[in-house]
Amino acid sequence: MKNFFSVKDVFNVYDLIKETIYLKKNPYKFNNIGKNKTIGLVFFNHSLRTRISCQKAAFNLGCNTWILNINKDSWKIEVNDGIIMDNTQEHIKEAISVMSLYCDILAVRTFPNLINKDYDYKEILFKKILKYSKVPIVNMESATLHPLQSLSDLITIAECTNFFKKRCKVVLSWAPHVKALPHSVANSFSQWILKINKIDFTIVCPKKYELNEKFSNGAKIRHNQNEAFIDADFIYAKNWSSYLYYGKILGDHRDWMITKNKMNITNKAKFMHCLPVRRNIVVEDSVLDSDDCIVLKQAENRVYASQIIFLKILQSLS
Ligand code: CP
C-alpha cells in the first residue's frame, strides 16, 4: 500500500478485516518493523480518538511519532496558491514538504469548509498534501471521508456477527445536532459497508439530507426513521449537514434523536456512533448507557484499524 486515502486503496476489504482481527489478537507481532521509523501526525482539526489511537498503533509497531496541531503549534499555514501572504506565514507547499522530511509516513486530518462544495468534494487540500509529501500519506479524516473510522466500524460489526456469517441489517440514521457537521463519517461508512455482500444497508435521513450518490449508491434511502428501524441489527447514528443545500442545517429535527423507544422497534440492535457524541441531542442517555451500545468497541478498534494500515505501508517500504 503506497497511500491510504479511501477504501479504493484496499485490495480486498474482507482480507483486510480478517488481518486486522488477527492483529488485534497479536498486537506486538510486528513490533520490530517500525524500528528507526517515524510517523508524523498532522491535525488541521481537533481530535481525541484519532490522535491517540494512531499513537498507540505506531507504538505497537515499534515506531516513533510526532504530532503537529496546525494553526495552534505551527506557523499559520496558507493553503491557497498564488496568494500574497499578508496574513499567513508559511505555505502548505513548504510545510508539507518539510514535515515529510521528518518522518516515514505522514498521517493527516484536514476538514471541509462546508461552504464550497466543489472545493471540499474535489479534496483540493488533501490532493495538495499528496502532491507535496515525499512519504506515504494516511487519511485521518479528509473533507469527505474518514476511512480509518470506517475500517474500525466494519471490524466491530464483523466481531459482533462472527465475521458476517449471517445476513444482517445495518441502518445509518441521521440524528440531530446543534452545529453543521461534515459528511465524512457517513460517506465513508456507506462506501465501505457497500463492499460487504451479507449486509442489507439502509440510510435514513430527513428529506434534503441525502448524501452524495457517489458514496451512497447501492444503499436503500429512506425518510421514515421508525419504519427504517424495523428488523435492524445495527443502528449507526450520525449527524451530517445537508449536501444538497451544502453545509446547511435545515431546521431543528430534534425528533430524530435515537431513543430507547426507537431502539425497541429494532431486532435488539447494537447502537453505534463514531464519537464524540452529544448526549440527549443525538442519542438518549439510556441508549448510550445500555448493554447494546458498542461505541467503546468501535473506539478500541480504531487502534487496530490504524495499525494494519501503518503496517501495510511499512511493509511496502521495506
Ligand atoms: N471518531 C473520531 O474520529 O474521533 P476524534 O475526532 O476524536 O478523532
Side-chain angles (χ1 to χ4, degrees):
M1 188 181 283
K2 192 169 178 316
N3 295 299
F4 178 69
F5 177 70
S6 76
V7 73
K8 290 184 181 168
D9 295 306
V10 175
F11 185 67
N12 182 313
V13 174
Y14 288 91
D15 286 349
L16 187 70
I17 295 169
K18 257 189 217 157
E19 288 174 72
T20 313
I21 291 172
Y22 174 81
L23 197 60
K24 185 174 176 180
K25 289 180 182 141
N26 304 276
Y28 306 115
K29 179 160 182 187
F30 300 95
N31 65 358
N32 275 324
I33 196 164
K35 188 166 180 231
N36 299 329
K37 300 279 189 224
T38 302
I39 300 179
L41 305 171
V42 179
F43 291 90
F44 284 81
N45 212 351
H46 305 283
S47 168
L48 185 155
R49 278 142 292 275
T50 306
R51 178 187 176 114
I52 301 172
S53 61
C54 283
Q55 280 182 287
K56 173 65 176 142
F59 171 81
N60 288 356
L61 296 168
C63 289
N64 287 310
T65 57
W66 53 252
I67 294 185
L68 190 74
N69 297 303
I70 299 284
N71 296 335
K72 262 207 239 151
D73 302 337
S74 72
W75 303 110
K76 195 162 182 208
I77 304 285
E78 179 59 61
V79 297
N80 296 308
D81 294 325
I83 210 129
I84 297 167
M85 287 172 53
D86 280 331
N87 298 315
T88 43
Q89 290 140 335
E90 178 151 27
H91 198 272
I92 188 141
K93 190 167 183 174
E94 284 77 44
I96 292 294
S97 302
V98 168
M99 284 190 269
S100 71
L101 298 173
Y102 302 151
C103 59
D104 301 278
I105 297 173
L106 194 59
V108 185
R109 167 169 284 191
T110 58
F111 60 97
N113 58 34
L114 293 179
I115 296 167
N116 183 337
K117 185 189 277 192
D118 219 37
Y119 182 88
D120 287 345
Y121 271 74
K122 283 186 177 158
E123 294 281 7
I124 304 283
L125 179 55
F126 215 93
K127 281 188 184 146
K128 285 184 186 181
I129 291 165
L130 283 163
K131 184 173 165 188
Y132 300 135
S133 175
K134 300 172 193 313
V135 297
I137 294 287
V138 170
N139 182 355
M140 294 195 296
E141 188 174 357
S142 66
T144 64
L145 294 172
H146 196 351
L148 291 175
Q149 180 68 52
S150 311
L151 175 54
S152 170
D153 298 336
L154 251 63
I155 297 160
T156 309
I157 295 173
E159 287 176 329
C160 292
T161 57
N162 192 12
F163 206 80
F164 315 118
K165 281 261 160 43
K166 60 181 176 93
R167 273 202 93 69
C168 67
K169 177 175 173 181
V170 177
V171 177
L172 172 62
S173 178
W174 187 93
H177 204 277
V178 292
K179 274 179 67 185
L181 294 189
H183 310 148
S184 51
V185 170
N187 283 342
S188 200
F189 183 69
S190 179
Q191 199 182 35
W192 282 73
I193 209 148
L194 287 166
K195 301 274 179 205
I196 306 295
N197 294 328
K198 285 212 169 162
I199 291 180
D200 171 3
F201 181 50
T202 298
I203 302 174
V204 64
C205 59
K207 286 193 174 148
K208 302 190 177 72
Y209 276 97
E210 294 83 5
L211 296 168
N212 182 331
E213 284 180 10
K214 180 177 154 193
F215 304 108
S216 62
N217 201 5
K220 291 174 187 149
I221 312 296
R222 300 286 181 264
H223 298 106
N224 183 316
Q225 202 181 30
N226 284 346
E227 277 177 26
F229 276 30
I230 295 170
D231 292 334
D233 300 293
F234 294 87
I235 299 295
Y236 196 129
K238 184 73 187 87
N239 172 269
W240 59 88
S241 55
S242 174
Y243 174 73
L244 184 65
Y245 297 98
Y246 193 64
K248 298 275 182 291
I249 296 182
L250 312 172
D252 191 42
H253 289 115
R254 292 268 174 157
D255 55 334
W256 277 72
M257 179 170 73
I258 314 296
T259 62
K260 193 85 189 157
N261 281 346
K262 288 179 190 172
M263 291 301 286
N264 285 340
I265 305 171
T266 69
N267 181 30
K268 295 197 181 83
K270 302 286 184 204
F271 175 80
M272 302 179 72
H273 191 282
C274 61
L275 303 181
V277 68
R278 292 202 187 212
R279 283 176 174 258
N280 303 310
I281 295 177
V282 173
V283 54
E284 230 172 39
D285 278 338
S286 58
V287 176
L288 213 44
D289 297 331
S290 77
D291 291 340
D292 292 323
C293 174
I294 55 172
V295 299
L296 291 185
K297 205 172 175 57
Q298 287 172 267
E300 181 191 9
N301 284 333
R302 290 294 307 272
V303 172
Y304 308 104
S306 307
Q307 192 175 336
I308 194 76
I309 298 302
F310 291 153
L311 174 62
K312 295 230 165 264
I313 294 176
L314 289 169
Q315 284 170 333
S316 76
L317 294 178
S318 53

